[in-house]
Amino acid sequence: MRFAGKRAVVTGGASGIGRATALRLADEGASVIVADIDGEAGAALAAASGGRIAFRHTDVTRADEIEALMQAADAAGGLDIVFNNAGAGGAREPIDQLSPDDWDRTMALLLRSVALGIRYAAPLMARRGGGAIVNTASVSALGAGYAPTAYSTAKAGVLHLTKIAAADLAAAHIRVNAVVPGFITTAIFTRHLDIEGARREQADGMIAGAAAKAQPIPRAGRPEDIAAAVAFLASEDASFITGTHILVDGGLTIGTRASWDPAVPSMLTALEAFR
Ligand SMILES: NC(=O)c1ccc[n+]([C@@H]2O[C@H](COP(=O)([O-])OP(=O)(O)OC[C@H]3O[C@@H](n4cnc5c(N)ncnc54)[C@H](O)[C@@H]3O)[C@@H](O)[C@H]2O)c1
């Protein structure tokens, strides 16, 4: 019960990583406000939570809605923890085909939303003597090939923002950290395809199969894997940790595939055939 008496806001909490984190924080004693544009899933989660989770319809691309969300949490008895997590894939085009509007929309959803989440939470936390903020970045912040261009750039911004904001807010006893998920099986990969029923199940099944084989640890990444790291960063166990991130990727970014997958021999192994 690391969060007994604490109040947490989780954006994008109606699904996937946010949902698992809302449940984890609530399981450990927190009162949680889930903020999301998916009213149906958000309300269902709240209804099933036995009063531990409340839902507030919030679009994180809107500054006024983020400000109202943080104010509402504070008014409910004080804001201790914020998980800036809402997101989607964004613009899919490579850099030479990007539309300026799609770029702006992606940055608004994935980077500006995090900046504003911190912006509107921090003064309220400071008044209470401190708090903990965790932001969702991505392995795509670390290199090419994991996600589209605009998304990857926004997530790199989230990592840097995490560090700079931690410096700005340390004196106010507010810690700011990020979690860096690898390949985690959630609806994010197929949501934008706008398919339902058997087609959706097929696509989700393909993702689940790929996720199990994508990294050295031979199983798919789960939302609960990320929730555990977020709960740690949000807790007093991490009270001397700020301005950094935890990589939760099953080893995805360790190195080349040949370094860990026996089915993909390295060039050095292949050269042995010439002996
Ligand atoms: N799944 C992965 O492999 C993975 C990897 C790295 C990073 N991430 C990041 O994790 C975060 C959560 O994604 P997920 O995988 O759980 O996906 P998900 O689709 O399961 O959940 C995302 C949630 O964000 C909500 N959302 C989308 N736009 C919103 C908006 N404008 N305002 C409020 N809520 C909004 C959605 O309704 C949904 O409930 C995202 O920031 C994503 O970029 C995911």
Side-chain angles (χ1 to χ4, degrees), residues 12-18 35-38 58-61 85-88 109-110 136-139 151 155 181-189 191:
S15 172
I17 290 168
D36 205 293
I37 47 172
D38 186 341
T58 307
D59 181 346
V60 298
T61 64
N85 164 76
L109 174 61
L110 293 171
T136 302
S138 159
V139 288
Y151 178 101
K155 292 298 192 182
F183 190 168
I184 308 299
T185 43
T186 70
I188 199 168
F189 300 101
R191 200 185 281 284

PDB file of all heavy atoms in Angstrom, residues 12-18 35-38 58-61 85-88 109-110 136-139 151 155 181-189 191, ligand 1:
ATOM      1  N   GLY A  12      -4.731   8.862 -20.565  1.00  0.00           N
ATOM      2  CA  GLY A  12      -4.757   7.662 -21.404  1.00  0.00           C
ATOM      3  C   GLY A  12      -4.995   6.425 -20.562  1.00  0.00           C
ATOM      4  O   GLY A  12      -4.552   5.328 -20.903  1.00  0.00           O
ATOM      5  N   GLY A  13      -5.724   6.584 -19.473  1.00  0.00           N
ATOM      6  CA  GLY A  13      -5.888   5.490 -18.513  1.00  0.00           C
ATOM      7  C   GLY A  13      -7.022   4.527 -18.822  1.00  0.00           C
ATOM      8  O   GLY A  13      -7.259   3.588 -18.055  1.00  0.00           O
ATOM      9  N   ALA A  14      -7.717   4.741 -19.954  1.00  0.00           N
ATOM     10  CA  ALA A  14      -8.836   3.855 -20.275  1.00  0.00           C
ATOM     11  C   ALA A  14      -8.387   2.576 -20.966  1.00  0.00           C
ATOM     12  O   ALA A  14      -9.176   1.648 -21.148  1.00  0.00           O
ATOM     13  CB  ALA A  14      -9.840   4.598 -21.157  1.00  0.00           C
ATOM     14  N   SER A  15      -7.121   2.496 -21.356  1.00  0.00           N
ATOM     15  CA  SER A  15      -6.661   1.340 -22.141  1.00  0.00           C
ATOM     16  C   SER A  15      -5.173   1.080 -21.882  1.00  0.00           C
ATOM     17  O   SER A  15      -4.451   1.965 -21.403  1.00  0.00           O
ATOM     18  CB  SER A  15      -6.889   1.639 -23.633  1.00  0.00           C
ATOM     19  OG  SER A  15      -6.314   0.650 -24.459  1.00  0.00           O
ATOM     20  N   GLY A  16      -4.742  -0.116 -22.186  1.00  0.00           N
ATOM     21  CA  GLY A  16      -3.326  -0.454 -22.273  1.00  0.00           C
ATOM     22  C   GLY A  16      -2.492  -0.104 -21.046  1.00  0.00           C
ATOM     23  O   GLY A  16      -2.828  -0.461 -19.904  1.00  0.00           O
ATOM     24  N   ILE A  17      -1.396   0.585 -21.289  1.00  0.00           N
ATOM     25  CA  ILE A  17      -0.415   0.913 -20.245  1.00  0.00           C
ATOM     26  C   ILE A  17      -1.047   1.793 -19.164  1.00  0.00           C
ATOM     27  O   ILE A  17      -0.826   1.584 -17.966  1.00  0.00           O
ATOM     28  CB  ILE A  17       0.805   1.615 -20.895  1.00  0.00           C
ATOM     29  CG1 ILE A  17       1.592   0.608 -21.742  1.00  0.00           C
ATOM     30  CG2 ILE A  17       1.680   2.286 -19.849  1.00  0.00           C
ATOM     31  CD1 ILE A  17       2.650   1.232 -22.664  1.00  0.00           C
ATOM     32  N   GLY A  18      -1.836   2.776 -19.577  1.00  0.00           N
ATOM     33  CA  GLY A  18      -2.474   3.672 -18.603  1.00  0.00           C
ATOM     34  C   GLY A  18      -3.458   2.924 -17.718  1.00  0.00           C
ATOM     35  O   GLY A  18      -3.505   3.135 -16.496  1.00  0.00           O
ATOM     36  N   ALA A  35      -8.009   9.933 -16.988  1.00  0.00           N
ATOM     37  CA  ALA A  35      -8.390  10.981 -17.945  1.00  0.00           C
ATOM     38  C   ALA A  35      -8.180  10.451 -19.346  1.00  0.00           C
ATOM     39  O   ALA A  35      -7.067  10.028 -19.685  1.00  0.00           O
ATOM     40  CB  ALA A  35      -7.532  12.214 -17.717  1.00  0.00           C
ATOM     41  N   ASP A  36      -9.218  10.487 -20.171  1.00  0.00           N
ATOM     42  CA  ASP A  36      -9.115   9.857 -21.488  1.00  0.00           C
ATOM     43  C   ASP A  36     -10.231  10.405 -22.379  1.00  0.00           C
ATOM     44  O   ASP A  36     -11.219  10.948 -21.883  1.00  0.00           O
ATOM     45  CB  ASP A  36      -9.255   8.327 -21.340  1.00  0.00           C
ATOM     46  CG  ASP A  36      -8.594   7.537 -22.460  1.00  0.00           C
ATOM     47  OD1 ASP A  36      -9.061   7.622 -23.621  1.00  0.00           O
ATOM     48  OD2 ASP A  36      -7.601   6.826 -22.186  1.00  0.00           O
ATOM     49  N   ILE A  37     -10.056  10.232 -23.709  1.00  0.00           N
ATOM     50  CA  ILE A  37     -11.140  10.609 -24.628  1.00  0.00           C
ATOM     51  C   ILE A  37     -12.099   9.441 -24.865  1.00  0.00           C
ATOM     52  O   ILE A  37     -13.145   9.630 -25.482  1.00  0.00           O
ATOM     53  CB  ILE A  37     -10.606  11.105 -26.000  1.00  0.00           C
ATOM     54  CG1 ILE A  37      -9.536  10.159 -26.544  1.00  0.00           C
ATOM     55  CG2 ILE A  37     -10.085  12.521 -25.899  1.00  0.00           C
ATOM     56  CD1 ILE A  37      -9.096  10.469 -27.973  1.00  0.00           C
ATOM     57  N   ASP A  38     -11.726   8.254 -24.411  1.00  0.00           N
ATOM     58  CA  ASP A  38     -12.601   7.089 -24.590  1.00  0.00           C
ATOM     59  C   ASP A  38     -13.541   6.982 -23.384  1.00  0.00           C
ATOM     60  O   ASP A  38     -13.227   6.337 -22.380  1.00  0.00           O
ATOM     61  CB  ASP A  38     -11.739   5.823 -24.741  1.00  0.00           C
ATOM     62  CG  ASP A  38     -12.573   4.586 -25.089  1.00  0.00           C
ATOM     63  OD1 ASP A  38     -13.807   4.612 -24.873  1.00  0.00           O
ATOM     64  OD2 ASP A  38     -11.991   3.600 -25.573  1.00  0.00           O
ATOM     65  N   THR A  58     -11.246  13.784 -20.830  1.00  0.00           N
ATOM     66  CA  THR A  58     -10.223  14.820 -21.031  1.00  0.00           C
ATOM     67  C   THR A  58      -9.495  14.562 -22.340  1.00  0.00           C
ATOM     68  O   THR A  58      -9.036  13.441 -22.586  1.00  0.00           O
ATOM     69  CB  THR A  58      -9.165  14.770 -19.892  1.00  0.00           C
ATOM     70  OG1 THR A  58      -9.823  14.821 -18.632  1.00  0.00           O
ATOM     71  CG2 THR A  58      -8.171  15.922 -20.014  1.00  0.00           C
ATOM     72  N   ASP A  59      -9.389  15.599 -23.150  1.00  0.00           N
ATOM     73  CA  ASP A  59      -8.585  15.522 -24.365  1.00  0.00           C
ATOM     74  C   ASP A  59      -7.263  16.228 -24.068  1.00  0.00           C
ATOM     75  O   ASP A  59      -7.236  17.450 -23.874  1.00  0.00           O
ATOM     76  CB  ASP A  59      -9.328  16.209 -25.520  1.00  0.00           C
ATOM     77  CG  ASP A  59      -8.557  16.136 -26.828  1.00  0.00           C
ATOM     78  OD1 ASP A  59      -7.351  15.804 -26.802  1.00  0.00           O
ATOM     79  OD2 ASP A  59      -9.164  16.424 -27.881  1.00  0.00           O
ATOM     80  N   VAL A  60      -6.166  15.475 -24.064  1.00  0.00           N
ATOM     81  CA  VAL A  60      -4.881  16.064 -23.652  1.00  0.00           C
ATOM     82  C   VAL A  60      -4.267  16.977 -24.715  1.00  0.00           C
ATOM     83  O   VAL A  60      -3.218  17.570 -24.486  1.00  0.00           O
ATOM     84  CB  VAL A  60      -3.847  14.989 -23.232  1.00  0.00           C
ATOM     85  CG1 VAL A  60      -4.335  14.199 -22.030  1.00  0.00           C
ATOM     86  CG2 VAL A  60      -3.481  14.076 -24.402  1.00  0.00           C
ATOM     87  N   THR A  61      -4.919  17.088 -25.885  1.00  0.00           N
ATOM     88  CA  THR A  61      -4.447  18.085 -26.845  1.00  0.00           C
ATOM     89  C   THR A  61      -5.041  19.457 -26.519  1.00  0.00           C
ATOM     90  O   THR A  61      -4.720  20.443 -27.171  1.00  0.00           O
ATOM     91  CB  THR A  61      -4.797  17.708 -28.304  1.00  0.00           C
ATOM     92  OG1 THR A  61      -6.222  17.682 -28.454  1.00  0.00           O
ATOM     93  CG2 THR A  61      -4.217  16.350 -28.669  1.00  0.00           C
ATOM     94  N   ASN A  85       0.593  10.011 -19.977  1.00  0.00           N
ATOM     95  CA  ASN A  85       0.764   8.772 -20.733  1.00  0.00           C
ATOM     96  C   ASN A  85      -0.060   8.685 -22.014  1.00  0.00           C
ATOM     97  O   ASN A  85       0.263   7.902 -22.896  1.00  0.00           O
ATOM     98  CB  ASN A  85       0.413   7.614 -19.784  1.00  0.00           C
ATOM     99  CG  ASN A  85       0.170   6.326 -20.508  1.00  0.00           C
ATOM    100  OD1 ASN A  85       1.108   5.669 -20.942  1.00  0.00           O
ATOM    101  ND2 ASN A  85      -1.099   5.947 -20.654  1.00  0.00           N
ATOM    102  N   ALA A  86      -1.115   9.490 -22.138  1.00  0.00           N
ATOM    103  CA  ALA A  86      -2.016   9.346 -23.304  1.00  0.00           C
ATOM    104  C   ALA A  86      -1.227   9.455 -24.602  1.00  0.00           C
ATOM    105  O   ALA A  86      -0.277  10.233 -24.706  1.00  0.00           O
ATOM    106  CB  ALA A  86      -3.089  10.438 -23.260  1.00  0.00           C
ATOM    107  N   GLY A  87      -1.627   8.679 -25.585  1.00  0.00           N
ATOM    108  CA  GLY A  87      -0.931   8.770 -26.864  1.00  0.00           C
ATOM    109  C   GLY A  87      -1.534   7.880 -27.928  1.00  0.00           C
ATOM    110  O   GLY A  87      -2.424   7.067 -27.670  1.00  0.00           O
ATOM    111  N   ALA A  88      -1.022   8.057 -29.142  1.00  0.00           N
ATOM    112  CA  ALA A  88      -1.396   7.238 -30.296  1.00  0.00           C
ATOM    113  C   ALA A  88      -0.237   7.357 -31.283  1.00  0.00           C
ATOM    114  O   ALA A  88       0.707   8.113 -31.048  1.00  0.00           O
ATOM    115  CB  ALA A  88      -2.701   7.735 -30.897  1.00  0.00           C
ATOM    116  N   LEU A 109      -0.287  15.941 -29.385  1.00  0.00           N
ATOM    117  CA  LEU A 109      -0.753  14.771 -28.628  1.00  0.00           C
ATOM    118  C   LEU A 109       0.351  14.182 -27.753  1.00  0.00           C
ATOM    119  O   LEU A 109       0.110  13.809 -26.610  1.00  0.00           O
ATOM    120  CB  LEU A 109      -1.278  13.701 -29.607  1.00  0.00           C
ATOM    121  CG  LEU A 109      -1.667  12.362 -28.967  1.00  0.00           C
ATOM    122  CD1 LEU A 109      -2.795  12.550 -27.948  1.00  0.00           C
ATOM    123  CD2 LEU A 109      -2.083  11.350 -30.033  1.00  0.00           C
ATOM    124  N   LEU A 110       1.562  14.104 -28.287  1.00  0.00           N
ATOM    125  CA  LEU A 110       2.596  13.315 -27.603  1.00  0.00           C
ATOM    126  C   LEU A 110       3.607  14.133 -26.798  1.00  0.00           C
ATOM    127  O   LEU A 110       4.219  13.609 -25.878  1.00  0.00           O
ATOM    128  CB  LEU A 110       3.337  12.453 -28.630  1.00  0.00           C
ATOM    129  CG  LEU A 110       2.496  11.350 -29.276  1.00  0.00           C
ATOM    130  CD1 LEU A 110       3.253  10.694 -30.423  1.00  0.00           C
ATOM    131  CD2 LEU A 110       2.069  10.303 -28.256  1.00  0.00           C
ATOM    132  N   THR A 136       5.392   9.005 -20.206  1.00  0.00           N
ATOM    133  CA  THR A 136       5.644   7.849 -21.072  1.00  0.00           C
ATOM    134  C   THR A 136       6.427   8.274 -22.307  1.00  0.00           C
ATOM    135  O   THR A 136       5.918   9.033 -23.132  1.00  0.00           O
ATOM    136  CB  THR A 136       4.329   7.173 -21.501  1.00  0.00           C
ATOM    137  OG1 THR A 136       3.608   6.785 -20.332  1.00  0.00           O
ATOM    138  CG2 THR A 136       4.625   5.931 -22.335  1.00  0.00           C
ATOM    139  N   ALA A 137       7.647   7.784 -22.423  1.00  0.00           N
ATOM    140  CA  ALA A 137       8.426   7.979 -23.648  1.00  0.00           C
ATOM    141  C   ALA A 137       8.294   6.708 -24.481  1.00  0.00           C
ATOM    142  O   ALA A 137       7.217   6.091 -24.520  1.00  0.00           O
ATOM    143  CB  ALA A 137       9.871   8.310 -23.308  1.00  0.00           C
ATOM    144  N   SER A 138       9.375   6.255 -25.096  1.00  0.00           N
ATOM    145  CA  SER A 138       9.331   5.065 -25.955  1.00  0.00           C
ATOM    146  C   SER A 138      10.752   4.738 -26.406  1.00  0.00           C
ATOM    147  O   SER A 138      11.599   5.646 -26.494  1.00  0.00           O
ATOM    148  CB  SER A 138       8.465   5.361 -27.187  1.00  0.00           C
ATOM    149  OG  SER A 138       8.779   4.469 -28.249  1.00  0.00           O
ATOM    150  N   VAL A 139      11.004   3.468 -26.732  1.00  0.00           N
ATOM    151  CA  VAL A 139      12.314   3.130 -27.296  1.00  0.00           C
ATOM    152  C   VAL A 139      12.559   3.883 -28.607  1.00  0.00           C
ATOM    153  O   VAL A 139      13.703   4.059 -29.013  1.00  0.00           O
ATOM    154  CB  VAL A 139      12.479   1.609 -27.544  1.00  0.00           C
ATOM    155  CG1 VAL A 139      12.629   0.850 -26.240  1.00  0.00           C
ATOM    156  CG2 VAL A 139      11.339   1.045 -28.383  1.00  0.00           C
ATOM    157  N   TYR A 151       6.328  10.623 -34.326  1.00  0.00           N
ATOM    158  CA  TYR A 151       6.165   9.969 -33.021  1.00  0.00           C
ATOM    159  C   TYR A 151       7.509   9.845 -32.312  1.00  0.00           C
ATOM    160  O   TYR A 151       7.648  10.206 -31.136  1.00  0.00           O
ATOM    161  CB  TYR A 151       5.547   8.592 -33.253  1.00  0.00           C
ATOM    162  CG  TYR A 151       5.335   7.731 -32.023  1.00  0.00           C
ATOM    163  CD1 TYR A 151       4.075   7.621 -31.438  1.00  0.00           C
ATOM    164  CD2 TYR A 151       6.372   6.992 -31.463  1.00  0.00           C
ATOM    165  CE1 TYR A 151       3.866   6.813 -30.325  1.00  0.00           C
ATOM    166  CE2 TYR A 151       6.177   6.185 -30.354  1.00  0.00           C
ATOM    167  CZ  TYR A 151       4.926   6.091 -29.788  1.00  0.00           C
ATOM    168  OH  TYR A 151       4.727   5.294 -28.697  1.00  0.00           O
ATOM    169  N   LYS A 155       8.705  11.608 -28.808  1.00  0.00           N
ATOM    170  CA  LYS A 155       9.092  10.826 -27.622  1.00  0.00           C
ATOM    171  C   LYS A 155      10.500  11.201 -27.160  1.00  0.00           C
ATOM    172  O   LYS A 155      10.785  11.182 -25.955  1.00  0.00           O
ATOM    173  CB  LYS A 155       8.986   9.336 -27.924  1.00  0.00           C
ATOM    174  CG  LYS A 155       7.547   8.845 -28.120  1.00  0.00           C
ATOM    175  CD  LYS A 155       6.705   9.028 -26.865  1.00  0.00           C
ATOM    176  CE  LYS A 155       5.378   8.292 -26.943  1.00  0.00           C
ATOM    177  NZ  LYS A 155       4.544   8.502 -25.745  1.00  0.00           N
ATOM    178  N   PRO A 181       8.913   2.355 -22.621  1.00  0.00           N
ATOM    179  CA  PRO A 181       8.455   1.012 -22.980  1.00  0.00           C
ATOM    180  C   PRO A 181       9.066   0.541 -24.292  1.00  0.00           C
ATOM    181  O   PRO A 181       9.314   1.339 -25.198  1.00  0.00           O
ATOM    182  CB  PRO A 181       6.932   1.177 -23.144  1.00  0.00           C
ATOM    183  CG  PRO A 181       6.594   2.521 -22.574  1.00  0.00           C
ATOM    184  CD  PRO A 181       7.826   3.346 -22.739  1.00  0.00           C
ATOM    185  N   GLY A 182       9.282  -0.771 -24.369  1.00  0.00           N
ATOM    186  CA  GLY A 182       9.628  -1.391 -25.647  1.00  0.00           C
ATOM    187  C   GLY A 182       8.350  -1.725 -26.393  1.00  0.00           C
ATOM    188  O   GLY A 182       7.465  -0.887 -26.534  1.00  0.00           O
ATOM    189  N   PHE A 183       8.259  -2.971 -26.854  1.00  0.00           N
ATOM    190  CA  PHE A 183       7.092  -3.430 -27.635  1.00  0.00           C
ATOM    191  C   PHE A 183       6.100  -4.037 -26.637  1.00  0.00           C
ATOM    192  O   PHE A 183       6.333  -5.130 -26.119  1.00  0.00           O
ATOM    193  CB  PHE A 183       7.596  -4.455 -28.653  1.00  0.00           C
ATOM    194  CG  PHE A 183       6.612  -4.873 -29.709  1.00  0.00           C
ATOM    195  CD1 PHE A 183       7.065  -5.596 -30.810  1.00  0.00           C
ATOM    196  CD2 PHE A 183       5.260  -4.554 -29.642  1.00  0.00           C
ATOM    197  CE1 PHE A 183       6.182  -6.014 -31.817  1.00  0.00           C
ATOM    198  CE2 PHE A 183       4.378  -4.955 -30.635  1.00  0.00           C
ATOM    199  CZ  PHE A 183       4.845  -5.684 -31.712  1.00  0.00           C
ATOM    200  N   ILE A 184       5.017  -3.340 -26.372  1.00  0.00           N
ATOM    201  CA  ILE A 184       4.037  -3.763 -25.375  1.00  0.00           C
ATOM    202  C   ILE A 184       2.712  -4.033 -26.085  1.00  0.00           C
ATOM    203  O   ILE A 184       2.221  -3.165 -26.832  1.00  0.00           O
ATOM    204  CB  ILE A 184       3.827  -2.653 -24.307  1.00  0.00           C
ATOM    205  CG1 ILE A 184       5.177  -2.190 -23.722  1.00  0.00           C
ATOM    206  CG2 ILE A 184       2.880  -3.138 -23.204  1.00  0.00           C
ATOM    207  CD1 ILE A 184       5.983  -3.254 -23.008  1.00  0.00           C
ATOM    208  N   THR A 185       2.118  -5.194 -25.838  1.00  0.00           N
ATOM    209  CA  THR A 185       0.890  -5.538 -26.553  1.00  0.00           C
ATOM    210  C   THR A 185      -0.296  -4.744 -26.004  1.00  0.00           C
ATOM    211  O   THR A 185      -0.789  -5.025 -24.911  1.00  0.00           O
ATOM    212  CB  THR A 185       0.583  -7.048 -26.460  1.00  0.00           C
ATOM    213  OG1 THR A 185       0.827  -7.462 -25.115  1.00  0.00           O
ATOM    214  CG2 THR A 185       1.453  -7.842 -27.381  1.00  0.00           C
ATOM    215  N   THR A 186      -0.691  -3.742 -26.761  1.00  0.00           N
ATOM    216  CA  THR A 186      -1.874  -2.934 -26.448  1.00  0.00           C
ATOM    217  C   THR A 186      -2.603  -2.653 -27.770  1.00  0.00           C
ATOM    218  O   THR A 186      -2.125  -3.008 -28.845  1.00  0.00           O
ATOM    219  CB  THR A 186      -1.501  -1.579 -25.806  1.00  0.00           C
ATOM    220  OG1 THR A 186      -0.891  -0.761 -26.820  1.00  0.00           O
ATOM    221  CG2 THR A 186      -0.540  -1.732 -24.638  1.00  0.00           C
ATOM    222  N   ALA A 187      -3.706  -1.926 -27.641  1.00  0.00           N
ATOM    223  CA  ALA A 187      -4.516  -1.609 -28.819  1.00  0.00           C
ATOM    224  C   ALA A 187      -3.880  -0.552 -29.711  1.00  0.00           C
ATOM    225  O   ALA A 187      -4.380  -0.270 -30.804  1.00  0.00           O
ATOM    226  CB  ALA A 187      -5.900  -1.129 -28.361  1.00  0.00           C
ATOM    227  N   ILE A 188      -2.762   0.031 -29.278  1.00  0.00           N
ATOM    228  CA  ILE A 188      -2.198   1.175 -30.023  1.00  0.00           C
ATOM    229  C   ILE A 188      -1.832   0.813 -31.459  1.00  0.00           C
ATOM    230  O   ILE A 188      -1.908   1.645 -32.351  1.00  0.00           O
ATOM    231  CB  ILE A 188      -0.974   1.774 -29.282  1.00  0.00           C
ATOM    232  CG1 ILE A 188      -0.683   3.193 -29.778  1.00  0.00           C
ATOM    233  CG2 ILE A 188       0.253   0.883 -29.406  1.00  0.00           C
ATOM    234  CD1 ILE A 188       0.300   3.965 -28.926  1.00  0.00           C
ATOM    235  N   PHE A 189      -1.467  -0.447 -31.694  1.00  0.00           N
ATOM    236  CA  PHE A 189      -0.983  -0.826 -33.029  1.00  0.00           C
ATOM    237  C   PHE A 189      -2.103  -0.978 -34.055  1.00  0.00           C
ATOM    238  O   PHE A 189      -1.889  -0.791 -35.245  1.00  0.00           O
ATOM    239  CB  PHE A 189      -0.173  -2.130 -32.934  1.00  0.00           C
ATOM    240  CG  PHE A 189       1.018  -1.993 -32.041  1.00  0.00           C
ATOM    241  CD1 PHE A 189       0.994  -2.476 -30.747  1.00  0.00           C
ATOM    242  CD2 PHE A 189       2.149  -1.335 -32.487  1.00  0.00           C
ATOM    243  CE1 PHE A 189       2.086  -2.324 -29.903  1.00  0.00           C
ATOM    244  CE2 PHE A 189       3.246  -1.165 -31.651  1.00  0.00           C
ATOM    245  CZ  PHE A 189       3.212  -1.661 -30.361  1.00  0.00           C
ATOM    246  N   ARG A 191      -5.516   0.249 -33.441  1.00  0.00           N
ATOM    247  CA  ARG A 191      -6.618   1.195 -33.223  1.00  0.00           C
ATOM    248  C   ARG A 191      -6.897   2.048 -34.462  1.00  0.00           C
ATOM    249  O   ARG A 191      -8.039   2.227 -34.876  1.00  0.00           O
ATOM    250  CB  ARG A 191      -6.243   2.106 -32.049  1.00  0.00           C
ATOM    251  CG  ARG A 191      -7.399   2.798 -31.386  1.00  0.00           C
ATOM    252  CD  ARG A 191      -6.868   3.744 -30.323  1.00  0.00           C
ATOM    253  NE  ARG A 191      -6.479   3.114 -29.074  1.00  0.00           N
ATOM    254  CZ  ARG A 191      -7.334   2.681 -28.150  1.00  0.00           C
ATOM    255  NH1 ARG A 191      -8.621   2.789 -28.354  1.00  0.00           N
ATOM    256  NH2 ARG A 191      -6.893   2.148 -27.032  1.00  0.00           N
TER     257      ARG A 191
HETATM  258  N1  LIG B   1       2.361  -0.189 -26.685  1.00  0.00           N
HETATM  259  C1  LIG B   1       3.629   0.055 -26.923  1.00  0.00           C
HETATM  260  O1  LIG B   1       4.372  -0.788 -27.456  1.00  0.00           O
HETATM  261  C2  LIG B   1       4.211   1.385 -26.543  1.00  0.00           C
HETATM  262  C3  LIG B   1       5.607   1.538 -26.641  1.00  0.00           C
HETATM  263  C4  LIG B   1       6.177   2.739 -26.288  1.00  0.00           C
HETATM  264  C5  LIG B   1       5.391   3.776 -25.855  1.00  0.00           C
HETATM  265  N2  LIG B   1       4.033   3.629 -25.788  1.00  0.00           N
HETATM  266  C6  LIG B   1       3.258   4.766 -25.313  1.00  0.00           C
HETATM  267  O2  LIG B   1       2.471   4.351 -24.231  1.00  0.00           O
HETATM  268  C7  LIG B   1       1.361   5.246 -24.094  1.00  0.00           C
HETATM  269  C8  LIG B   1       0.096   4.423 -23.904  1.00  0.00           C
HETATM  270  O3  LIG B   1      -0.134   3.681 -25.091  1.00  0.00           O
HETATM  271  P1  LIG B   1      -0.762   2.210 -25.100  1.00  0.00           P
HETATM  272  O4  LIG B   1       0.191   1.332 -25.794  1.00  0.00           O
HETATM  273  O5  LIG B   1      -1.247   1.863 -23.749  1.00  0.00           O
HETATM  274  O6  LIG B   1      -1.962   2.453 -26.138  1.00  0.00           O
HETATM  275  P2  LIG B   1      -3.569   2.359 -25.975  1.00  0.00           P
HETATM  276  O7  LIG B   1      -4.090   2.723 -27.314  1.00  0.00           O
HETATM  277  O8  LIG B   1      -3.948   1.055 -25.389  1.00  0.00           O
HETATM  278  O9  LIG B   1      -3.894   3.502 -24.907  1.00  0.00           O
HETATM  279  C9  LIG B   1      -3.776   4.866 -25.231  1.00  0.00           C
HETATM  280  C10 LIG B   1      -4.899   5.611 -24.527  1.00  0.00           C
HETATM  281  O10 LIG B   1      -4.705   7.032 -24.777  1.00  0.00           O
HETATM  282  C11 LIG B   1      -5.986   7.576 -25.050  1.00  0.00           C
HETATM  283  N3  LIG B   1      -5.850   8.816 -25.831  1.00  0.00           N
HETATM  284  C12 LIG B   1      -5.515   8.950 -27.130  1.00  0.00           C
HETATM  285  N4  LIG B   1      -5.569  10.243 -27.491  1.00  0.00           N
HETATM  286  C13 LIG B   1      -5.954  10.937 -26.390  1.00  0.00           C
HETATM  287  C14 LIG B   1      -6.207  12.311 -26.133  1.00  0.00           C
HETATM  288  N5  LIG B   1      -6.091  13.251 -27.086  1.00  0.00           N
HETATM  289  N6  LIG B   1      -6.579  12.680 -24.886  1.00  0.00           N
HETATM  290  C15 LIG B   1      -6.720  11.741 -23.903  1.00  0.00           C
HETATM  291  N7  LIG B   1      -6.529  10.434 -24.100  1.00  0.00           N
HETATM  292  C16 LIG B   1      -6.137  10.030 -25.329  1.00  0.00           C
HETATM  293  C17 LIG B   1      -6.716   6.488 -25.822  1.00  0.00           C
HETATM  294  O11 LIG B   1      -8.122   6.691 -25.816  1.00  0.00           O
HETATM  295  C18 LIG B   1      -6.293   5.240 -25.058  1.00  0.00           C
HETATM  296  O12 LIG B   1      -7.169   4.960 -24.000  1.00  0.00           O
HETATM  297  C19 LIG B   1       1.385   6.135 -25.321  1.00  0.00           C
HETATM  298  O13 LIG B   1       1.986   7.376 -25.004  1.00  0.00           O
HETATM  299  C20 LIG B   1       2.263   5.376 -26.280  1.00  0.00           C
HETATM  300  O14 LIG B   1       2.875   6.218 -27.209  1.00  0.00           O
HETATM  301  C21 LIG B   1       3.439   2.456 -26.123  1.00  0.00           C
END
